[in-house]
Amino acid sequence: MDPRPPLPPFTEETALQKVQAAEDAWNTRDPERVAGAYTEDTEWRNRGEHVVGRAAVVEFLTGKWERELDYRLRKNLWSFSGNRIAVRFQYESRDASGQWWRSYGNEQWEFDDLGYMRRREASIDDVPIDESERRVTPGEGELPVF
């Protein structure tokens, strides 16, 4: 596999680049594109699910974005060290009934030497919101605290 810069060990600048690249990819809602950033044997803990392997990531994300309509995500760097990055995020989506949700969470990422994510652990809480309360817009800048 070709290197996927920026590569560890991360600096503040390269960690910020990695976080923005992840946000940009996830906002495409393209499971194949997103999964391309992970190792073939990547391991995820996402809420109560354990996902292993790039093919399983594609399957997981396909189902996610079939349920979470009009998905918009924002990620912020929380911390970094060596080959690890921690982020906080918020995303909004609506379900098939039209109910809007804001999801708050934290992720811990671990990368291999080529810059692919080999481990992702995500803790996520969901809060129902009215459509008029939507505020998540992709891009740079800090997320609202609540």
Side-chain angles (χ1 to χ4, degrees), residues 75-137:
K75 292 182 184 277
N76 280 159
L77 176 65
W78 189 261
S79 183
F80 66 94
S81 178
N83 70 339
R84 294 181 174 157
I85 295 175
V87 300
R88 64 186 280 257
F89 64 87
Q90 292 177 28
Y91 69 83
E92 294 169 346
S93 62
R94 65 177 174 82
D95 61 27
S97 74
Q99 173 63 58
W100 282 92
W101 298 89
R102 183 174 303 119
S103 301
Y104 299 90
N106 299 293
E107 294 177 320
Q108 295 83 44
W109 302 340
E110 183 178 78
F111 294 85
D112 71 5
D113 292 339
L114 294 175
Y116 291 85
M117 196 181 302
R118 66 177 162 216
R119 185 168 151 202
R120 173 184 172 267
E121 296 184 19
S123 297
I124 307 167
D125 295 313
D126 303 308
V127 177
I129 61 171
D130 290 327
E131 184 174 8
S132 64
E133 296 175 286
R134 293 174 63 204
R135 65 175 186 215
V136 173
T137 55

Side-chain angles (χ1 to χ4, degrees), residues 2 8 14 16 18-19 22-23 32 44 55 59 66 72 75 77 79 90 108 115 129 132 143-144:
D2 292 330
T14 60
L16 286 166
K18 206 65 149 174
V19 171
E23 177 185 308
E32 293 286 342
W44 285 22
E59 182 179 337
E66 287 172 353
R72 296 187 326 180
K75 292 182 184 277
L77 176 65
S79 183
Q90 292 177 28
Q108 295 83 44
I129 61 171
S132 64
L143 285 165

Side-chain angles (χ1 to χ4, degrees), residues 6-51:
L7 306 177
F10 297 110
T11 64
E12 183 174 10
E13 179 183 358
T14 60
L16 286 166
Q17 290 170 0
K18 206 65 149 174
V19 171
Q20 190 62 55
E23 177 185 308
D24 293 345
W26 279 68
N27 278 317
T28 68
R29 296 182 298 242
D30 178 343
E32 293 286 342
R33 178 176 172 190
V34 173
Y38 299 89
T39 61
E40 289 289 339
D41 62 350
T42 191
E43 290 193 43
W44 285 22
R45 184 189 56 75
N46 193 87
R47 300 175 191 258
E49 294 184 63
H50 187 226
V51 179

